Amino acid sequence: MKRSAIACAVALTAAFALPTLASANEKLAQASGCMTCHGIDKKIIGPAYKDVANKYRGDKSAEADLIKKVKGGGKGVWGDIPMPPNAHVKDEDIKTLVQWILALK
């Protein structure tokens, strides 16, 4: 009985912590200018983040490839509109954002 109460408490803590984390990542994306072109679940100029997550799910090189693409810009994967380089965003912030995007369901 004691173990199930602890497990329940851990699950509740995680359930309430995850929205806060997602909110922090979304705020980082907004502050970095990413949300101007991308929505979480809808295409704006660039693809929706959930579409990016689905496209790269299971791709072991996706994180490194996307970090490079976000930093340097890119074109062609999602159409002809290029994504500009994001050299103004700190490397650790880009990594955080890419990990968050890839974890979206």
Side-chain angles (χ1 to χ4, degrees):
M1 181 76 164
K2 192 173 187 178
R3 283 186 183 171
S4 64
I6 292 171
C8 185
V10 168
L12 283 172
T13 302
F16 286 105
L18 288 176
T20 303
L21 181 59
S23 178
N25 289 327
E26 188 173 344
K27 287 178 184 177
L28 177 59
Q30 289 171 341
S32 300
C34 305
M35 302 299 282
T36 302
C37 296
H38 301 276
I40 293 173
D41 55 6
K42 67 175 183 164
K43 177 185 184 335
I44 298 175
I45 294 171
Y49 287 148
K50 287 184 178 182
D51 292 340
V52 173
N54 287 333
K55 181 178 184 76
Y56 293 101
R57 196 166 322 285
D59 181 342
K60 300 217 184 284
S61 66
E63 183 178 323
D65 293 344
L66 290 174
I67 288 170
K68 183 178 176 183
K69 184 168 284 196
V70 170
K71 187 72 171 180
K75 180 181 174 186
V77 175
W78 297 94
D80 291 332
I81 299 172
M83 180 175 72
N86 291 281
H88 65 284
V89 181
K90 292 187 266 181
D91 290 346
E92 59 267 19
D93 290 345
I94 291 175
K95 183 175 182 172
T96 296
L97 290 167
V98 167
Q99 289 173 338
W100 169 62
I101 292 164
L102 290 173
L104 293 172
K105 302 279 185 209

